[in-house]
Amino acid sequence: MNRKAFLVIIAFLLCFALCVPALAEGYSRLEDFAGLLSEDERAVILAQLDDISERQGMDVVIVTVASLDGKTATEYADDYFDYNGFGQGADRNGILFLISMEDRDWAISTRGDAIAAFTDAGQAHITDEMVPMLSEGEYADAFVCFANYCDDYITQANTGEPYDVDNMPKEKLDTIWIPLSLAIGMAVALIVCLIMKSQLKSVRSQPEAMSYVINDSVSFTEQSDVFLYKTLTKTKIQKAESGSGGSSTHTSSSGATHGGSSGKF
């Protein structure tokens, strides 16, 4: 091998070695290009996203950017998912959440099995909980909230009944409210009993039931029940119509089918 060929090979290997870390970094499930997270927050959230994605077999991705570069939030989210190789399996199953700080846009992009797992109604439920956090600048909390919901939604979809219009997540009652409610109820009951007792100062308990009856005060000569009239009222109860449910879809610039939603925060 001559010197020139040897130098070409060395140069190629050096370029490859430099490119591999960049490629690996480009496929991270958390990209904070807008610089909204601290290093510690980024490490915790990335570990959570990786755990969910690998355990559930569906990529869960979060991306923050400063600008959409002239695209809509939906177009940017779809393209970022498609052209950065996200999605597991033949159908490239995954969900991506994007926020852009330029005009405070957010978008969700789903692909493969994630389209069915994250219905339109389901996405609305997630963003109703998460967007107020974004508006307050609580980005780390919002992303953790998103990741937790994704884990729950994918698990639910695996049972065959994704969260949808007629099957939404039940709000969890904080355990602190159970003993607190009991204590409040007991306190109110005690106060009512004390008030009632205070109004009975002139009354003394009697040893026998007949002691409460005044002699010759009541005399019954005849007892009978007389039915006077009956009124029957019927009211038709209208059954609420269920929404159509499901997931709306569109085609991205790569020609792939995506679900998703978008809005402002």
Side-chain angles (χ1 to χ4, degrees):
M1 180 183 296
N2 58 40
R3 180 182 177 82
K4 184 177 181 180
F6 177 76
L7 291 175
V8 168
I9 293 173
I10 294 297
F12 174 79
L13 292 175
L14 286 173
C15 289
F16 181 77
L18 291 173
C19 289
V20 167
L23 289 172
E25 185 178 354
Y27 287 87
S28 171
R29 293 187 177 99
L30 173 62
E31 286 293 5
D32 182 27
F33 297 117
L36 305 178
L37 303 173
S38 68
E39 287 299 319
D40 289 342
E41 290 171 337
R42 185 185 184 282
V44 170
I45 297 171
L46 178 58
Q48 183 183 17
L49 296 176
D50 286 341
D51 171 66
I52 296 170
S53 300
E54 293 162 13
R55 178 165 40 82
Q56 297 283 18
M58 182 180 295
D59 279 340
V60 180
V61 184
I62 296 174
V63 181
T64 76
V65 295
S67 169
L68 296 174
D69 298 329
K71 297 180 180 181
T72 66
T74 295
E75 291 169 344
Y76 199 107
D78 290 344
D79 289 347
Y80 196 92
F81 188 99
D82 292 343
Y83 296 118
N84 284 285
F86 291 110
Q88 299 188 37
D91 295 328
R92 296 184 63 179
N93 309 316
I95 178 171
L96 181 146
F97 180 71
L98 166 80
I99 67 171
S100 170
M101 300 305 295
E102 183 177 28
D103 293 313
R104 302 183 73 80
D105 291 288
W106 64 263
I108 290 176
S109 177
T110 57
R111 185 168 172 179
D113 292 345
I115 295 176
F118 296 88
T119 62
D120 294 345
Q123 291 179 50
H125 180 80
I126 295 175
T127 53
D128 284 347
E129 296 292 324
M130 187 172 60
V131 169
M133 299 180 193
L134 297 175
S135 300
E136 295 296 325
E138 300 169 355
Y139 301 111
D141 291 341
F143 297 156
V144 169
C145 175
F146 174 76
N148 287 334
Y149 269 119
C150 286
D151 198 7
D152 181 31
Y153 273 49
I154 297 169
T155 298
Q156 176 67 22
N158 288 337
T159 68
E161 190 177 4
Y163 289 128
D164 206 346
V165 174
D166 298 320
N167 177 41
M168 295 303 296
K170 293 180 175 61
E171 297 296 335
K172 296 180 179 179
L173 181 66
D174 196 326
T175 54
I176 192 174
W177 285 104
I178 298 175
L180 186 60
S181 298
L182 291 174
I184 293 174
M186 293 175 65
V188 171
L190 178 61
I191 292 172
V192 171
C193 290
L194 291 174
I195 293 173
M196 293 175 65
K197 182 179 179 181
S198 67
Q199 296 174 347
L200 299 174
K201 294 180 179 179
S202 62
V203 179
R204 298 291 182 269
S205 61
Q206 300 296 329
E208 298 180 1
M210 291 302 297
S211 300
Y212 290 95
V213 179
I214 300 175
N215 293 330
D216 301 324
S217 62
V218 179
S219 177
F220 294 101
T221 59
E222 183 180 353
Q223 297 183 22
S224 63
D225 294 327
V226 179
F227 182 79
L228 298 177
Y229 58 85
K230 178 176 73 173
T231 301
L232 179 62
T233 303
K234 294 183 178 180
T235 302
K236 182 179 180 180
I237 300 176
Q238 298 290 342
K239 184 178 180 181
E241 295 183 0
S242 300
S244 57
S247 303
S248 56
T249 59
H250 58 274
T251 303
S252 67
S253 65
S254 69
T257 299
H258 285 259
S261 55
S262 61
K264 299 280 188 180
F265 66 94

